[in-house]
Amino acid sequence: MTDFTLWDIVRNLLLAGRWTVVLSLIAFVGGAAVGLVLTLLRMGGFKPIRWLIRLYVDVFQGTPLLMQLFLAYFGAAALGFDVSAWTAASLALTLFTSAFLCDIWRGCVEAVPSGQWQASRVLGLNYLQSMRHVILPQALRLAVPPTVGFSVQVIKGTALASVIGFVELTKAGTMLNNAAFAPFTIFALVALGYFILCYPLSRYARYLEKRLYGAGIR
Amino acid sequence: MTLDFSTLLPYSGEIMEGLVTTLWLTVVTTFVGIALAIVVAYVRDLESGIMSRLLGGYVEVVRNTPFIVQLFFLFFGLPALGIPISATVAALVAMILNLGAYTAEILRAGIDSTARGQHEASRALGLSRLQSYRHVVLVPAFSRVYPSLISQCIIVMLGSAVVSQISVFDLTYAANFIQSRNFRGFEVYLVVTLIYLLLAVGMRRSFELVGRRLFAFRQGGSA
Amino acid sequence: MALVSVKDLHKSFGDLEVLKGIDLDIEPGEVVAVIGRSGSGKSTFLRCLNQLEQHDWGTIHLADQRLDGSAMSPGELSQNVGMVFQSFNLFPHKTVVENVMLAPVVVKQTPRAEARKIAEEVLDKVGMLEKVDAYPAQLSGGQQQRVAIARALAMDPKVLLCDEVTSALDPELVGEVLLVLESLAAEGMTLILVTHEMKFARDVSHRVVFMHQGRIHESGDPQTLFTQPKTPELSQFIASVL
Ligand SMILES: Nc1ncnc2c1ncn2[C@@H]1O[C@H](COP(=O)(O)OP(=O)(O)OP(=O)(O)O)[C@@H](O)[C@H]1O
Ligand SMILES: [Mg+2]
């Protein structure tokens, strides 16, 4: 049964690893897009919308990602759609990412001193113009390090897509293990795969943060 | 689409059982994980050398790999090496290692922001490094990073849903079990998700309550 | 026989030589005020005396016992030399009495009941007995500084070092702290005080030491030193602070 060479294992993991990367990109880009819209809406004045977005963020931050995946998968079925693991995983991870990014970015916008708002309003800029020309550029600098940092959570989050049958790095690992039965090696390699993806991002996030706050901005 | 929650009722026992497991795993992890973090943060911050490096490696590995992979590695990998481990123990160890790594980093941020005068005062009083860490540095450091600590403990509780994948009978396992019997996946997961949400809210409330007592020294006012 | 004996003390930070050879003998019960311009090395000198800074050259003896280098453990040192800081540095998470008891219990291994008694004695001495259970955040600056003095006294040191202990205080709170120091002096405590309170230095100290550019430029009894400075640097300094 164990006519798997180490290279076979590595090759199969690498092939599956592509889907981890693709799913991460979908979730991150999709999540960023949705998250940006939510952040802008949330900064606006309309109370019920702010309240709803806050609820959205709290729900996604207060429930397991695994449950969100199950709900996307079974929820779509309950609605009569026959969705693939691809669709369900992309959807759940995108929404999950958007909620966390919305929360991170709101913090960054709020960290811009209120004097900046007042100054731009006094100059006659309206809400969108102040946002676009004054607040966002400053918030953006603050937002980059934690956003990069959160991308690590997104990549790790994609591992849960394996549970609903999406074949990415982790799922490939369990499947290979069923065939080759070398759990120690296989899961160490799987972990290594994630580490190679995540560690540089973690380091980069930390570097950016040091540079930002080391430069005396606050 | 019609939702039918009545088919869940016969399974309230399973949900209770799962809930109890999730709860005790979380409580034990919180205590042991924080204790681990206290040790790791001390060695990482105030000692140098091989031990500090090793623990740094541990923290990075945990933070840069998915919890589910850590879990599989422990549960499937260790027995293959001749180290038998039950699903529950694997789950508990993985959760503790996780919380320990993240909390150590959180705590270090709090330790680093200790005023220089605090270190000098304890040195002038003759406290050793370890005594100073224990009696002078630790509590104020915790109080400064407490909000992050709360969030981290909640994240680990929510992440524990994954232990269902190695057949630990937690809340999520209960949900999967019921789903496989009554085929009302959406309703089951909706209810269980709500329970998790309530757990998260309850945890935050309890932590805040404990924090107010533990860190009462921060509130000024008349004596 | 001098209680504290400093010989040829040198200290540099990188290329900056801050102490360029300090010699000073202090008798038991003596109150020495150290004055001088900002940057003249007063704090550094004091911090060398309890080894918060390691000096590069020279010796410090305390009652015939070598104090510097690694001749004394931090625990022993703290029972010989106490220190009070400009910024109080009370431990925020401990009540007044816990602040005072900490070092006796942890460092000296004094039983808690006994440590409590000692704490209450020293707190009484500084007039803070009624605030034993308050947290530092609930006290005024002057009260915090008095607790800090009590905390140092609880280790029963032979010498107490005070580095500008009233500089961080609102003017109306300075008096209560100086009063405590005065009573300690009257009791025979050996005190080395860096201070900008010239009136206090003149009235309370037995000797004033004027530091200038890392050296003891002039020293003597307060009356003569303040009224008949020998060097132009000291006259300038006195003119600038009075
Ligand atoms: N840890 C340190 N590293 C580098 N330089 C230092 C350090 N501590 C003190 N210095 C420098 O040594 C010199 C003397 O400092 P010190 O604090 O002893 O002066 P001081 O007489 O106490 O002044 P002040 O009245 O302002 O308190 C200063 O130039 C100061 O910048
Ligand atoms: Mg000074």
Side-chain angles (χ1 to χ4, degrees), chain B residues 116, chain C residues 11-14 16-19 35-47 53 86 163-164 194 196 211:
Chain B
R116 210 178 83 168
Chain C
K11 171 71 187 173
S12 300
F13 293 109
L16 181 70
E17 193 177 15
V18 177
L19 300 181
I35 59 172
R37 261 186 237 296
S38 179
S40 57
K42 307 179 297 291
S43 295
T44 307
F45 173 53
L46 232 56
R47 293 160 59 83
E53 299 289 355
Q86 180 177 344
D163 191 356
E164 294 190 35
V194 170
H196 287 177
M211 282 188 66

mmCIF file of all heavy atoms in Angstrom, chain B residues 116, chain C residues 11-14 16-19 35-47 53 86 163-164 194 196 211, ligand 1:
data_model
loop_
_atom_site.group_PDB
_atom_site.id
_atom_site.type_symbol
_atom_site.label_atom_id
_atom_site.label_comp_id
_atom_site.label_asym_id
_atom_site.label_seq_id
_atom_site.Cartn_x
_atom_site.Cartn_y
_atom_site.Cartn_z
ATOM 1 N N ARG B 116 9.913 52.197 32.740
ATOM 2 C CA ARG B 116 11.257 51.897 33.217
ATOM 3 C C ARG B 116 11.351 52.041 34.736
ATOM 4 O O ARG B 116 12.034 51.286 35.413
ATOM 5 C CB ARG B 116 12.254 52.829 32.530
ATOM 6 C CG ARG B 116 13.614 52.202 32.372
ATOM 7 C CD ARG B 116 14.537 53.147 31.656
ATOM 8 N NE ARG B 116 15.085 54.098 32.603
ATOM 9 C CZ ARG B 116 16.105 54.913 32.328
ATOM 10 N NH1 ARG B 116 16.648 54.887 31.141
ATOM 11 N NH2 ARG B 116 16.561 55.740 33.241
ATOM 12 N N LYS C 11 32.294 57.029 35.505
ATOM 13 C CA LYS C 11 31.206 56.395 34.752
ATOM 14 C C LYS C 11 31.040 57.085 33.404
ATOM 15 O O LYS C 11 30.954 58.311 33.325
ATOM 16 C CB LYS C 11 29.890 56.510 35.548
ATOM 17 C CG LYS C 11 28.653 56.083 34.790
ATOM 18 C CD LYS C 11 28.605 54.581 34.584
ATOM 19 C CE LYS C 11 27.465 54.171 33.681
ATOM 20 N NZ LYS C 11 27.521 52.743 33.344
ATOM 21 N N SER C 12 31.005 56.292 32.341
ATOM 22 C CA SER C 12 30.758 56.838 31.001
ATOM 23 C C SER C 12 29.548 56.154 30.392
ATOM 24 O O SER C 12 29.291 54.981 30.654
ATOM 25 C CB SER C 12 31.960 56.589 30.089
ATOM 26 O OG SER C 12 33.106 57.201 30.616
ATOM 27 N N PHE C 13 28.811 56.918 29.588
ATOM 28 C CA PHE C 13 27.807 56.305 28.708
ATOM 29 C C PHE C 13 28.358 56.424 27.300
ATOM 30 O O PHE C 13 28.350 57.503 26.718
ATOM 31 C CB PHE C 13 26.473 57.043 28.805
ATOM 32 C CG PHE C 13 25.802 56.901 30.140
ATOM 33 C CD1 PHE C 13 25.731 57.967 31.015
ATOM 34 C CD2 PHE C 13 25.226 55.694 30.525
ATOM 35 C CE1 PHE C 13 25.106 57.839 32.246
ATOM 36 C CE2 PHE C 13 24.597 55.562 31.749
ATOM 37 C CZ PHE C 13 24.538 56.636 32.610
ATOM 38 N N GLY C 14 28.851 55.345 26.758
ATOM 39 C CA GLY C 14 29.484 55.419 25.444
ATOM 40 C C GLY C 14 30.686 56.349 25.521
ATOM 41 O O GLY C 14 31.575 56.157 26.352
ATOM 42 N N LEU C 16 30.463 59.499 26.276
ATOM 43 C CA LEU C 16 30.195 60.599 27.200
ATOM 44 C C LEU C 16 30.624 60.232 28.614
ATOM 45 O O LEU C 16 30.055 59.338 29.238
ATOM 46 C CB LEU C 16 28.690 60.911 27.172
ATOM 47 C CG LEU C 16 28.225 62.059 28.070
ATOM 48 C CD1 LEU C 16 28.716 63.388 27.520
ATOM 49 C CD2 LEU C 16 26.716 62.042 28.184
ATOM 50 N N GLU C 17 31.660 60.912 29.087
ATOM 51 C CA GLU C 17 32.113 60.633 30.446
ATOM 52 C C GLU C 17 31.304 61.501 31.403
ATOM 53 O O GLU C 17 31.406 62.729 31.392
ATOM 54 C CB GLU C 17 33.615 60.920 30.599
ATOM 55 C CG GLU C 17 34.150 60.333 31.891
ATOM 56 C CD GLU C 17 35.656 60.535 32.039
ATOM 57 O OE1 GLU C 17 36.221 61.353 31.299
ATOM 58 O OE2 GLU C 17 36.240 59.869 32.911
ATOM 59 N N VAL C 18 30.479 60.863 32.213
ATOM 60 C CA VAL C 18 29.537 61.599 33.055
ATOM 61 C C VAL C 18 30.108 61.822 34.448
ATOM 62 O O VAL C 18 29.958 62.891 35.028
ATOM 63 C CB VAL C 18 28.195 60.847 33.135
ATOM 64 C CG1 VAL C 18 27.248 61.569 34.065
ATOM 65 C CG2 VAL C 18 27.577 60.716 31.752
ATOM 66 N N LEU C 19 30.781 60.820 34.994
ATOM 67 C CA LEU C 19 31.446 60.978 36.292
ATOM 68 C C LEU C 19 32.951 60.845 36.054
ATOM 69 O O LEU C 19 33.415 59.845 35.498
ATOM 70 C CB LEU C 19 30.963 59.918 37.287
ATOM 71 C CG LEU C 19 29.460 59.922 37.605
ATOM 72 C CD1 LEU C 19 29.129 58.833 38.619
ATOM 73 C CD2 LEU C 19 29.012 61.283 38.115
ATOM 74 N N ILE C 35 23.904 69.282 44.834
ATOM 75 C CA ILE C 35 23.298 70.250 43.922
ATOM 76 C C ILE C 35 24.173 70.375 42.683
ATOM 77 O O ILE C 35 25.317 69.906 42.654
ATOM 78 C CB ILE C 35 23.133 71.636 44.594
ATOM 79 C CG1 ILE C 35 24.490 72.178 45.044
ATOM 80 C CG2 ILE C 35 22.184 71.552 45.785
ATOM 81 C CD1 ILE C 35 24.442 73.618 45.541
ATOM 82 N N GLY C 36 23.631 71.004 41.669
ATOM 83 C CA GLY C 36 24.393 71.183 40.435
ATOM 84 C C GLY C 36 23.455 71.319 39.250
ATOM 85 O O GLY C 36 22.275 71.009 39.343
ATOM 86 N N ARG C 37 24.034 71.799 38.168
ATOM 87 C CA ARG C 37 23.259 72.000 36.952
ATOM 88 C C ARG C 37 22.726 70.686 36.390
ATOM 89 O O ARG C 37 23.282 69.635 36.675
ATOM 90 C CB ARG C 37 24.167 72.607 35.893
ATOM 91 C CG ARG C 37 24.035 74.082 35.751
ATOM 92 C CD ARG C 37 24.878 74.549 34.570
ATOM 93 N NE ARG C 37 25.838 75.556 35.022
ATOM 94 C CZ ARG C 37 25.476 76.738 35.510
ATOM 95 N NH1 ARG C 37 24.203 77.047 35.630
ATOM 96 N NH2 ARG C 37 26.371 77.609 35.898
ATOM 97 N N SER C 38 21.711 70.829 35.566
ATOM 98 C CA SER C 38 21.181 69.665 34.851
ATOM 99 C C SER C 38 22.282 69.054 33.996
ATOM 100 O O SER C 38 22.991 69.765 33.291
ATOM 101 C CB SER C 38 20.005 70.107 33.982
ATOM 102 O OG SER C 38 19.514 69.005 33.280
ATOM 103 N N GLY C 39 22.436 67.751 34.082
ATOM 104 C CA GLY C 39 23.446 67.072 33.265
ATOM 105 C C GLY C 39 24.810 66.983 33.927
ATOM 106 O O GLY C 39 25.741 66.437 33.348
ATOM 107 N N SER C 40 24.924 67.500 35.152
ATOM 108 C CA SER C 40 26.234 67.478 35.799
ATOM 109 C C SER C 40 26.570 66.101 36.371
ATOM 110 O O SER C 40 27.685 65.878 36.838
ATOM 111 C CB SER C 40 26.283 68.539 36.906
ATOM 112 O OG SER C 40 25.241 68.300 37.839
ATOM 113 N N GLY C 41 25.618 65.177 36.361
ATOM 114 C CA GLY C 41 25.916 63.804 36.775
ATOM 115 C C GLY C 41 25.380 63.436 38.148
ATOM 116 O O GLY C 41 25.733 62.380 38.687
ATOM 117 N N LYS C 42 24.485 64.251 38.709
ATOM 118 C CA LYS C 42 23.977 63.993 40.059
ATOM 119 C C LYS C 42 23.214 62.667 40.131
ATOM 120 O O LYS C 42 23.477 61.824 41.008
ATOM 121 C CB LYS C 42 23.033 65.129 40.512
ATOM 122 C CG LYS C 42 23.640 66.511 40.388
ATOM 123 C CD LYS C 42 22.671 67.592 40.811
ATOM 124 C CE LYS C 42 21.409 67.698 39.967
ATOM 125 N NZ LYS C 42 21.637 68.185 38.594
ATOM 126 N N SER C 43 22.276 62.491 39.204
ATOM 127 C CA SER C 43 21.494 61.250 39.225
ATOM 128 C C SER C 43 22.384 60.045 38.988
ATOM 129 O O SER C 43 22.244 59.006 39.637
ATOM 130 C CB SER C 43 20.407 61.287 38.149
ATOM 131 O OG SER C 43 19.487 62.297 38.438
ATOM 132 N N THR C 44 23.276 60.184 38.037
ATOM 133 C CA THR C 44 24.166 59.070 37.728
ATOM 134 C C THR C 44 24.971 58.666 38.962
ATOM 135 O O THR C 44 25.127 57.480 39.257
ATOM 136 C CB THR C 44 25.114 59.459 36.573
ATOM 137 O OG1 THR C 44 24.320 59.928 35.487
ATOM 138 C CG2 THR C 44 25.951 58.281 36.132
ATOM 139 N N PHE C 45 25.441 59.661 39.693
ATOM 140 C CA PHE C 45 26.190 59.375 40.918
ATOM 141 C C PHE C 45 25.327 58.584 41.908
ATOM 142 O O PHE C 45 25.736 57.538 42.431
ATOM 143 C CB PHE C 45 26.668 60.697 41.534
ATOM 144 C CG PHE C 45 27.301 60.534 42.888
ATOM 145 C CD1 PHE C 45 28.341 59.630 43.079
ATOM 146 C CD2 PHE C 45 26.851 61.278 43.973
ATOM 147 C CE1 PHE C 45 28.922 59.469 44.329
ATOM 148 C CE2 PHE C 45 27.428 61.122 45.228
ATOM 149 C CZ PHE C 45 28.459 60.213 45.402
ATOM 150 N N LEU C 46 24.111 59.072 42.105
ATOM 151 C CA LEU C 46 23.227 58.397 43.054
ATOM 152 C C LEU C 46 22.918 56.967 42.602
ATOM 153 O O LEU C 46 22.898 56.029 43.397
ATOM 154 C CB LEU C 46 21.914 59.192 43.164
ATOM 155 C CG LEU C 46 21.455 59.556 44.560
ATOM 156 C CD1 LEU C 46 22.550 60.336 45.268
ATOM 157 C CD2 LEU C 46 20.186 60.401 44.518
ATOM 158 N N ARG C 47 22.700 56.834 41.306
ATOM 159 C CA ARG C 47 22.337 55.510 40.778
ATOM 160 C C ARG C 47 23.516 54.537 40.844
ATOM 161 O O ARG C 47 23.309 53.328 40.933
ATOM 162 C CB ARG C 47 21.807 55.639 39.356
ATOM 163 C CG ARG C 47 20.451 56.389 39.314
ATOM 164 C CD ARG C 47 20.159 56.942 37.921
ATOM 165 N NE ARG C 47 20.129 55.877 36.947
ATOM 166 C CZ ARG C 47 19.064 55.109 36.731
ATOM 167 N NH1 ARG C 47 17.965 55.323 37.414
ATOM 168 N NH2 ARG C 47 19.101 54.146 35.846
ATOM 169 N N GLU C 53 23.209 51.804 38.132
ATOM 170 C CA GLU C 53 24.199 51.904 37.057
ATOM 171 C C GLU C 53 25.487 51.265 37.564
ATOM 172 O O GLU C 53 25.866 51.454 38.726
ATOM 173 C CB GLU C 53 24.508 53.361 36.703
ATOM 174 C CG GLU C 53 23.348 54.184 36.211
ATOM 175 C CD GLU C 53 22.874 53.807 34.816
ATOM 176 O OE1 GLU C 53 23.511 52.951 34.169
ATOM 177 O OE2 GLU C 53 21.848 54.359 34.403
ATOM 178 N N GLN C 86 12.195 60.397 41.693
ATOM 179 C CA GLN C 86 11.437 61.593 41.360
ATOM 180 C C GLN C 86 9.990 61.251 41.003
ATOM 181 O O GLN C 86 9.063 61.934 41.419
ATOM 182 C CB GLN C 86 12.113 62.276 40.169
ATOM 183 C CG GLN C 86 11.431 63.527 39.706
ATOM 184 C CD GLN C 86 12.208 64.196 38.569
ATOM 185 O OE1 GLN C 86 13.372 63.905 38.327
ATOM 186 N NE2 GLN C 86 11.557 65.103 37.882
ATOM 187 N N ASP C 163 16.410 61.184 44.853
ATOM 188 C CA ASP C 163 16.736 61.919 43.638
ATOM 189 C C ASP C 163 15.600 62.862 43.263
ATOM 190 O O ASP C 163 14.616 62.446 42.662
ATOM 191 C CB ASP C 163 17.024 60.935 42.489
ATOM 192 C CG ASP C 163 17.635 61.635 41.286
ATOM 193 O OD1 ASP C 163 17.767 62.875 41.322
ATOM 194 O OD2 ASP C 163 17.978 60.937 40.314
ATOM 195 N N GLU C 164 15.763 64.123 43.622
ATOM 196 C CA GLU C 164 14.766 65.144 43.286
ATOM 197 C C GLU C 164 13.352 64.687 43.602
ATOM 198 O O GLU C 164 12.473 64.703 42.749
ATOM 199 C CB GLU C 164 14.855 65.494 41.800
ATOM 200 C CG GLU C 164 16.159 66.167 41.446
ATOM 201 C CD GLU C 164 16.127 66.738 40.028
ATOM 202 O OE1 GLU C 164 15.051 67.200 39.627
ATOM 203 O OE2 GLU C 164 17.152 66.694 39.359
ATOM 204 N N VAL C 194 19.631 64.547 46.169
ATOM 205 C CA VAL C 194 19.808 65.467 45.053
ATOM 206 C C VAL C 194 18.600 66.381 45.099
ATOM 207 O O VAL C 194 17.470 65.902 45.167
ATOM 208 C CB VAL C 194 19.835 64.708 43.714
ATOM 209 C CG1 VAL C 194 19.771 65.691 42.554
ATOM 210 C CG2 VAL C 194 21.076 63.841 43.624
ATOM 211 N N HIS C 196 16.747 70.438 44.166
ATOM 212 C CA HIS C 196 16.726 71.794 43.623
ATOM 213 C C HIS C 196 16.125 72.762 44.630
ATOM 214 O O HIS C 196 15.965 73.930 44.332
ATOM 215 C CB HIS C 196 15.933 71.828 42.309
ATOM 216 C CG HIS C 196 16.674 71.195 41.182
ATOM 217 N ND1 HIS C 196 16.158 71.038 39.922
ATOM 218 C CD2 HIS C 196 17.921 70.663 41.108
ATOM 219 C CE1 HIS C 196 17.027 70.451 39.131
ATOM 220 N NE2 HIS C 196 18.117 70.201 39.835
ATOM 221 N N MET C 211 28.108 69.637 42.357
ATOM 222 C CA MET C 211 28.698 68.874 41.242
ATOM 223 C C MET C 211 28.719 69.719 39.991
ATOM 224 O O MET C 211 27.779 70.444 39.682
ATOM 225 C CB MET C 211 27.908 67.587 40.987
ATOM 226 C CG MET C 211 28.242 66.492 41.990
ATOM 227 S SD MET C 211 27.501 64.908 41.583
ATOM 228 C CE MET C 211 28.344 64.486 40.085
HETATM 229 N N1 LIG D 1 21.413 55.714 30.480
HETATM 230 C C1 LIG D 1 22.054 56.746 29.901
HETATM 231 N N2 LIG D 1 22.552 56.596 28.663
HETATM 232 C C2 LIG D 1 23.213 57.623 28.069
HETATM 233 N N3 LIG D 1 23.406 58.807 28.620
HETATM 234 C C3 LIG D 1 22.943 59.026 29.851
HETATM 235 C C4 LIG D 1 22.230 58.001 30.551
HETATM 236 N N4 LIG D 1 21.871 58.489 31.761
HETATM 237 C C5 LIG D 1 22.341 59.748 31.798
HETATM 238 N N5 LIG D 1 22.975 60.087 30.665
HETATM 239 C C6 LIG D 1 23.639 61.361 30.377
HETATM 240 O O1 LIG D 1 24.544 61.628 31.419
HETATM 241 C C7 LIG D 1 24.575 63.003 31.732
HETATM 242 C C8 LIG D 1 24.312 63.180 33.219
HETATM 243 O O2 LIG D 1 23.007 62.768 33.510
HETATM 244 P P1 LIG D 1 22.387 62.824 34.968
HETATM 245 O O3 LIG D 1 21.025 62.306 34.850
HETATM 246 O O4 LIG D 1 23.306 62.169 35.914
HETATM 247 O O5 LIG D 1 22.373 64.380 35.238
HETATM 248 P P2 LIG D 1 21.701 65.154 36.460
HETATM 249 O O6 LIG D 1 22.772 65.954 37.079
HETATM 250 O O7 LIG D 1 20.939 64.229 37.297
HETATM 251 O O8 LIG D 1 20.731 66.147 35.685
HETATM 252 P P3 LIG D 1 19.238 66.596 36.078
HETATM 253 O O9 LIG D 1 19.358 67.736 37.027
HETATM 254 O O10 LIG D 1 18.682 67.057 34.745
HETATM 255 O O11 LIG D 1 18.526 65.429 36.619
HETATM 256 C C9 LIG D 1 23.535 63.665 30.852
HETATM 257 O O12 LIG D 1 24.204 64.267 29.770
HETATM 258 C C10 LIG D 1 22.672 62.536 30.392
HETATM 259 O O13 LIG D 1 22.183 62.790 29.105
#
